[in-house]
Amino acid sequence: MKNINQHIEDKAIKQFYLIYGEEDYLKSQYKDKLVNALLNPEDTMNYSRYEGAGVNVLEVLDVANTLPFFSDARVIVLENSKWFEKCPKDLDLEMLEKLPDSTYIIFVETDVDKRGRLYKWIDKHGYASVMNAPDGKMLQTWIAGLCKAEGKQIEKEAVDYFLEHVGMDKTNMLLMKNELEKVFAYCSDKTAITTKDIKDICVSQATDKMFEMLDAIGSCERERALLLYHDFLALKEPAMRVHVMLTRHFRILMKVKGLSEAGMDNKTIASICGIPPFSVKKYAAQTGKYSYEQLKDMVEQCQEIDYKIKTGQIKDTVGVELLIVEFSGK
């Protein structure tokens, strides 16, 4: 990402780019940065965009060989073409080498095969940049930057709470940005954003109870965990949502336990487990109550209850309650 910014700043933009990875927000942001650096946003004559696996290779090459009209550049964007998973047979890479210097091609993909001939060609003749979710420190800086751009400050505790509670299952920067827009509107007459503001506008009552319940289970507080579970059901939330979160929670605990015992640092553990680095200490503290084998057994129990629920052997509300009773009593 830094290299793309440097290319733009130095006016040394390469002819071919591959932007790939799981974080759609970053991919879109850097694609737009490159396009806007090469073309006037109103120049539609020299901009072409193709999307999907059915893109006609010869049509793209025909456009790519066309000189720009009253511009220094012609820009072509191909999104989700799947060409980097399986390179089209009719794509002659020598033809790409012969394109006019005024043509710039930007590929935006999710999955790539680094062993493929097209990836290797781009890596040699252009620039490939992976866009996955940044680590917790970078996200904290990013959130603070968005707040500053709105003329607001945000407490560190509020940032941590936001990162942990918004998008429980997976970090998603677009989701975060949308949620922050809600916070900015809610705090329009304030300059400081607090944890209470995040709770009031971003985190639903059900989500809050979900986290409280997971904490109660991890702390072996059975009565509080069951009370929170029944409160959760009273909000008309499905029991299977609790099941999914329980399974995820103890799968993460199992991974953290194993990786910690293998001597991995928090940053590496966070990357492997898909959690913010600042959350690792919290998970690690809970793993002290269990052995690795116990955690593995708990994950297997979640899978077993899932099977029984889906095959009609037990009601979902009862199955999840049995897990809570078992896990919060260990």
Side-chain angles (χ1 to χ4, degrees):
M1 290 183 281
K2 289 182 180 179
N3 287 341
I4 294 179
N5 287 329
Q6 196 64 51
H7 295 169
I8 294 172
E9 185 178 335
D10 295 343
K11 300 187 185 306
I13 298 176
K14 297 185 180 294
Q15 195 172 4
F16 305 95
Y17 281 88
L18 166 62
I19 300 172
Y20 69 99
E22 298 178 352
E23 186 46 69
D24 292 336
Y25 175 84
L26 288 177
K27 289 190 294 184
S28 178
Q29 184 183 49
Y30 278 87
K31 173 200 70 178
D32 291 344
K33 279 187 176 186
L34 286 168
V35 172
N36 292 333
L38 290 164
L39 289 178
N40 185 311
E42 298 179 0
D43 186 354
T44 57
M45 295 192 67
N46 296 299
Y47 175 75
S48 302
R49 178 179 175 275
Y50 300 89
E51 184 171 10
V55 175
N56 187 301
V57 176
L58 297 180
E59 179 184 338
V60 172
L61 291 175
D62 185 49
V63 173
N65 275 296
T66 305
L67 294 174
F69 185 73
F70 290 114
S71 173
D72 293 329
R74 175 172 294 283
V75 179
I76 298 173
V77 173
L78 291 101
E79 298 193 54
N80 303 312
S81 67
K82 307 293 185 183
W83 289 7
F84 289 84
E85 295 178 54
K86 185 177 181 180
C87 187
K89 293 180 180 179
D90 51 351
L91 178 59
D92 185 347
L93 298 184
E94 289 186 6
M95 295 179 69
L96 292 179
E97 294 181 33
K98 296 176 182 177
L99 291 177
D101 292 340
S102 54
T103 294
Y104 294 82
I105 299 180
I106 303 167
F107 294 94
V108 183
E109 304 288 335
T110 298
D111 298 312
V112 302
D113 181 358
K114 293 185 178 181
R115 301 165 300 177
R117 63 189 183 101
L118 183 54
Y119 181 90
K120 291 178 179 178
W121 189 92
I122 290 286
D123 198 38
K124 179 180 179 181
H125 294 87
Y127 185 74
S129 180
V130 61
M131 302 282 175
N132 288 328
D135 61 27
K137 186 175 181 180
M138 288 181 65
L139 285 173
Q140 289 171 335
T141 302
W142 174 68
I143 290 170
L146 291 177
C147 292
K148 185 177 180 181
E150 290 288 327
K152 301 184 184 300
Q153 293 182 326
I154 184 168
E155 298 175 350
K156 184 182 183 303
E157 294 76 10
V159 174
D160 290 347
Y161 188 89
F162 180 85
L163 285 173
E164 191 167 4
H165 287 73
V166 176
M168 293 186 295
D169 300 316
K170 186 178 181 181
T171 300
N172 182 312
M173 293 178 74
L174 183 58
L175 168 66
M176 289 183 181
K177 189 171 186 299
N178 290 340
E179 289 297 305
L180 280 173
E181 294 291 344
K182 288 161 55 177
V183 175
F184 297 152
Y186 181 72
C187 299
S188 59
D189 58 343
K190 299 171 58 177
T191 57
I193 298 171
T194 66
T195 301
K196 184 178 183 302
D197 295 324
I198 303 297
K199 288 182 177 181
D200 287 346
I201 196 65
C202 290
V203 183
S204 70
Q205 192 177 359
T207 299
D208 220 13
K209 289 189 180 299
M210 174 75 78
F211 274 89
E212 285 187 53
M213 188 189 67
L214 289 173
D215 285 340
I217 293 171
S219 302
C220 300
E221 300 177 44
R222 179 182 289 171
E223 288 187 12
R224 187 163 75 95
L226 287 172
L227 180 61
L228 288 163
Y229 174 57
H230 292 142
D231 285 348
F232 186 84
L233 295 179
L235 293 170
K236 306 297 182 184
E237 293 289 336
M240 286 305 289
R241 186 182 174 202
V242 179
H243 181 273
V244 169
M245 290 304 297
L246 277 175
T247 305
R248 174 182 181 272
H249 186 73
F250 285 99
R251 186 175 284 125
I252 289 174
L253 288 180
M254 181 180 73
K255 288 182 180 179
V256 170
K257 183 79 171 180
L259 294 170
S260 295
E261 291 180 349
M264 299 284 187
D265 59 70
N266 286 0
K267 186 175 180 180
T268 303
I269 293 172
S271 177
I272 293 173
C273 296
I275 57 176
F278 61 80
S279 294
V280 175
K281 288 183 180 179
K282 181 179 177 181
Y283 282 108
Q286 289 191 9
T287 63
K289 303 180 177 71
Y290 314 100
S291 68
Y292 181 83
E293 289 303 319
Q294 280 180 307
L295 290 168
K296 182 179 178 182
D297 179 63
M298 293 163 87
V299 172
E300 290 174 353
Q301 286 183 60
C302 287
Q303 294 170 337
E304 183 181 353
I305 288 293
D306 181 62
Y307 175 77
K308 288 183 176 180
I309 291 171
K310 290 178 178 177
T311 55
Q313 298 179 47
I314 192 173
K315 288 181 63 177
D316 55 358
T317 52
V318 175
V320 174
E321 183 161 337
L322 288 174
L323 288 174
I324 293 172
V325 169
E326 174 68 15
F327 293 170
S328 58
K330 285 186 178 295

